[in-house]
């Protein structure tokens, strides 16, 4: 599937390009131990989370949109020193981040203090998707290390392909102080075809049970069985 991302000519090379999420894996994933000793289980050695293909594949799936400029955060205030080129013929903010008033989230169960603004990360790229394809934008998966939480939204980018999709987020770490660097992942996007969904819920029949038992036995007996036998892996670009 091909997505076309465009920015204003003046900004090309001045704002981070969106990248395949696999190119933006967090440092902590690489630093995870391969094997761990479990005190909970009396010292048994276990495989660490970096051996979990579903977790790694979730981190690697889709497109990652990144913060345009360094943000300096101090005592709940956000500032930046960024002077991108001016596009004379475009109605576009030059701020890497904006805000939503607290009242706009009133009634939503986001855990916001009454007077806290929502931040809105600015996206400087339009997104053109193939016909029948929407994009689900959400917080970068499994990235609880980030001091914010991006809210999820679905946009029909086959039709809304010449405007910008910005990313509202809750600043979830009030104690954060320092620099949130340019290039920080702020939203992960997944193309979805708008096909009708049909569910069929039923009890396993005899053949289903036989296959189920076989899979369960393999998973018990063979470490890494999912990765070796069932995982398709993400397609290469």
């Amino acid at each position: 599937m091909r997505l076309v991302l465009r920015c204003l000519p003046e900004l090309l090379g001045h704002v981070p390009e969106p990248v395949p999420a696999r190119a933006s894996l967090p440092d902590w994933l690489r630093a995870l131990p391969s094997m761990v000793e479990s005190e909970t289980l009396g010292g048994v050695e276990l495989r660490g989370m970096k051996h979990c293909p579903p977790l790694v594949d979730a981190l690697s799936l889709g497109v990652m949109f990144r913060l345009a400029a360094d943000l300096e955060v101090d005592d709940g205030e956000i500032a930046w020193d960024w002077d991108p080129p001016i596009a004379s013929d475009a109605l576009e903010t030059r701020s890497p981040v904006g805000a939503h008033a607290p009242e706009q989230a009133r009634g939503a169960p986001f855990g916001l203090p009454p007077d806290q603004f929502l931040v809105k990360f600015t996206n400087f790229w339009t997104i053109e998707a193939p016909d029948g394809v929407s994009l689900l934008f959400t917080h970068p998966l499994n990235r609880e290390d980030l001091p914010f939480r991006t809210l999820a939204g679905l946009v029909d980018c086959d039709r809304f392909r010449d405007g910008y999709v910005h990313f509202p987020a809750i600043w979830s770490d009030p104690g954060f102080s320092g620099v949130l660097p340019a290039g920080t992942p702020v939203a992960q996007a997944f193309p979805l075809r708008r096909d009708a969904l049909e569910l069929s819920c039923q009890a396993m029949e005899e053949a289903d049970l036989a296959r189920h038992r076989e899979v369960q036995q393999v998973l018990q007996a063979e470490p890494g069985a999912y990765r070796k036998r069932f995982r398709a892996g993400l397609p290469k670009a």
Side-chain angles (χ1 to χ4, degrees):
M1 183 182 298
R2 184 171 186 260
L3 300 178
V4 180
L5 302 111
R6 301 179 177 93
C7 72
L8 296 175
E10 294 86 350
L11 294 182
L12 189 64
H14 293 275
V15 292
E17 295 182 0
V19 295
R22 62 162 59 92
S24 190
L25 295 176
D27 292 338
W28 58 256
L29 178 65
R30 300 181 180 90
L32 287 177
S34 180
M35 302 296 294
V36 295
E37 183 178 316
S38 173
E39 297 177 3
T40 306
L41 299 179
V44 172
E45 195 171 45
L46 302 173
R47 286 149 44 94
M49 290 187 69
K50 72 187 325 175
H51 287 290
C52 178
L55 182 144
V56 176
D57 286 347
L59 288 166
S60 305
L61 184 64
V63 182
M64 196 69 75
F65 290 81
R66 302 182 290 167
L67 183 63
D70 291 350
L71 300 183
E72 299 177 12
V73 184
D74 183 32
D75 195 25
E77 295 186 358
I78 300 175
W80 56 90
D81 183 9
W82 187 51
D83 189 26
I86 296 175
S88 58
D89 191 30
L91 301 175
E92 173 56 39
T93 179
R94 297 172 71 238
S95 300
V97 66
H100 284 292
E103 294 80 8
Q104 291 180 273
R106 183 175 292 163
F110 294 154
L112 278 172
D115 59 347
Q116 182 172 319
F117 283 73
L118 280 80
V119 299
K120 181 168 64 175
F121 295 111
T122 304
N123 169 37
F124 293 92
W125 298 86
T126 65
I127 308 156
E128 180 182 348
D131 288 345
V133 172
S134 301
L135 264 70
L136 173 64
F137 299 89
T138 188
H139 185 75
L141 297 183
N142 297 321
R143 293 301 305 270
E144 302 304 315
D145 53 309
L146 298 171
F148 57 85
R149 178 163 50 85
T150 304
L151 300 179
L154 185 72
V155 180
D156 299 334
C157 289
D158 56 340
R159 304 178 67 178
F160 185 75
R161 62 187 190 183
D162 297 309
Y164 297 107
V165 180
H166 302 302
F167 311 124
I170 296 165
W171 198 268
S172 54
D173 183 1
F176 180 89
S177 180
V179 175
L180 192 68
T184 296
V186 294
Q188 193 169 354
F190 310 98
L192 301 173
R193 295 198 178 276
R194 293 192 299 272
D195 295 331
L197 179 64
E198 182 179 346
L199 300 181
S200 176
C201 301
Q202 53 192 268
M204 294 182 187
E205 297 181 356
E206 185 175 343
D208 304 318
L209 283 168
R211 293 193 305 270
H212 167 68
R213 284 192 295 267
E214 181 180 354
V215 169
Q216 292 300 98
Q217 290 167 358
V218 168
L219 293 175
Q220 290 288 331
E222 183 181 332
Y226 170 76
R227 175 179 57 82
K228 297 173 184 176
R229 293 180 177 234
F230 305 103
R231 184 192 190 195
L234 299 178
K236 301 295 183 183

